[in-house]
Amino acid sequence: VWNKESGEVLHTLSSPRCGSVYAMKLNGNHIVSAAQDNQHSGQSLIVAWDLTSGLEIRTYESHQGVIKGLAFDETTIISCSDNQTMKIWNHDCEETAALLRTFKGHTGSLNSIAMDDTHILSGSDDYSMKLWDRESRALLHSFEGHASSVTAVAMDSSSFFSGGSDNTIKAWSRTNFELETTIAIDDGTVYCLAVDASYIVGGTSNYLVNVWDRATYELLRSCTGHSSYVWSVAIDDASILSGSYDRIVSIEMIEAVG
């Protein structure tokens, strides 16, 4: 964990049970990570950490296989795995860790999930993105349109977004579920997506972090600082952050995007 302004290392989060880390999310004062379980071959686990102290809060006995996506808020953690399942966990730190539900709707490995107050999105190797009701867990819609695996999903107040290994990003209406637009990527699987009111950010297999205008879908900039696949992106008011297989975390200032 680094200080964003100075680059100073604040904490190194470590647990003897954690091997390779597959996914990580930050929300408020908590970090949730998914990693290989060193004590149980072929299994993964989820660990919640306190951002201020760097201490482990709780470990969730998790999936068979590799956890490829995480989303969480103050009450709930959702994880998805290459064993085709999603799991929903209690994240109320005053309560005992509890698995609330395991559910399956895809026929391929799950690669990415996103959630807001009402919905859950999941993307899979079965070429589809699925929309779920967060409260009832019911499947509401299956978005079909990619020619290959859906490797990244995101959402904002008006649209759902899917990125795939078919070198495209698709935007879908939250109102009628119709396809709004398709953004073509030059020779690059879209491994990760982040969206805010102004920008769409995608990290790709051709080592780029691409930034599009949210309203017009115009490509504003391709950031070229990485030397390997870009696995993770995030955006805030001032900057775009990206993490890559090259073991570098890069910060791009929003004002430089143009």
Side-chain angles (χ1 to χ4, degrees):
V1 181
W2 292 270
N3 180 288
K4 183 180 170 183
E5 302 300 326
S6 67
E8 176 190 2
V9 176
L10 302 177
H11 300 293
T12 298
L13 309 180
S14 179
S15 169
R17 287 190 60 182
C18 290
S20 299
V21 177
Y22 305 127
M24 182 176 293
K25 292 291 183 181
L26 167 67
N27 191 327
N29 196 44
H30 291 161
I31 295 174
V32 171
S33 62
Q36 175 187 354
D37 187 344
N38 284 334
Q39 295 182 7
H40 300 90
S41 177
Q43 295 189 25
S44 300
L45 53 83
I46 297 170
V47 181
W49 310 84
D50 183 271
L51 182 59
T52 301
S53 67
L55 298 177
E56 181 179 333
I57 300 171
R58 176 178 299 140
T59 297
Y60 299 80
E61 307 293 336
S62 189
H63 292 264
Q64 291 286 337
V66 175
I67 297 173
K68 302 181 78 174
L70 286 172
F72 81 103
D73 61 15
E74 293 82 2
T75 62
T76 306
I77 296 172
I78 302 178
S79 57
C80 71
S81 170
D82 62 1
N83 71 356
Q84 303 180 11
T85 65
M86 287 193 294
K87 293 179 182 286
I88 301 179
W89 309 83
N90 171 32
H91 183 52
D92 185 342
C93 290
E94 299 301 322
E95 302 291 338
T96 302
L99 176 62
L100 302 179
R101 182 173 178 183
T102 299
F103 55 111
K104 178 178 177 180
H106 288 281
T107 58
S109 170
L110 273 76
N111 299 311
S112 181
I113 53 175
M115 73 174 181
D116 62 13
D117 291 341
T118 56
H119 294 103
I120 302 166
L121 279 179
S122 56
S124 170
D125 281 349
D126 63 12
Y127 300 6
S128 76
M129 178 175 71
K130 295 186 184 296
L131 176 67
W132 310 80
D133 183 271
R134 179 168 168 176
E135 183 174 357
S136 69
R137 315 323 192 217
L139 178 62
L140 301 178
H141 190 75
S142 183
F143 298 88
E144 313 286 343
H146 284 279
S148 190
S149 299
V150 176
T151 47
V153 299
M155 67 175 88
D156 65 12
S157 60
S158 60
S159 301
F160 301 119
F161 299 88
S162 55
S165 56
D166 60 358
N167 305 346
T168 67
I169 296 171
K170 295 182 182 292
W172 310 81
S173 169
R174 287 188 75 137
T175 303
N176 58 21
F177 302 152
E178 293 294 321
L179 181 65
E180 295 176 331
T181 194
T182 297
I183 302 171
I185 311 295
D186 291 335
D187 299 323
T189 295
V190 182
Y191 283 130
C192 48
L193 286 171
V195 182
D196 71 1
S198 301
Y199 303 105
I200 302 167
V201 180
T204 70
S205 62
N206 56 4
Y207 312 171
L208 297 177
V209 177
N210 292 323
V211 185
W212 293 269
D213 184 272
R214 172 64 185 90
T216 66
Y217 302 109
E218 174 190 2
L219 179 63
L220 300 176
R221 183 166 181 175
S222 291
C223 306
T224 59
H226 289 290
S227 60
S228 190
Y229 301 158
V230 179
W231 292 113
S232 181
V233 292
I235 187 169
D236 63 19
D237 292 339
S239 55
I240 295 168
L241 295 90
S242 56
S244 167
Y245 197 65
D246 63 10
R247 298 185 293 181
I248 291 173
V249 176
S250 176
I251 300 177
E252 187 83 15
M253 302 311 294
I254 291 288
E255 61 190 26
V257 171

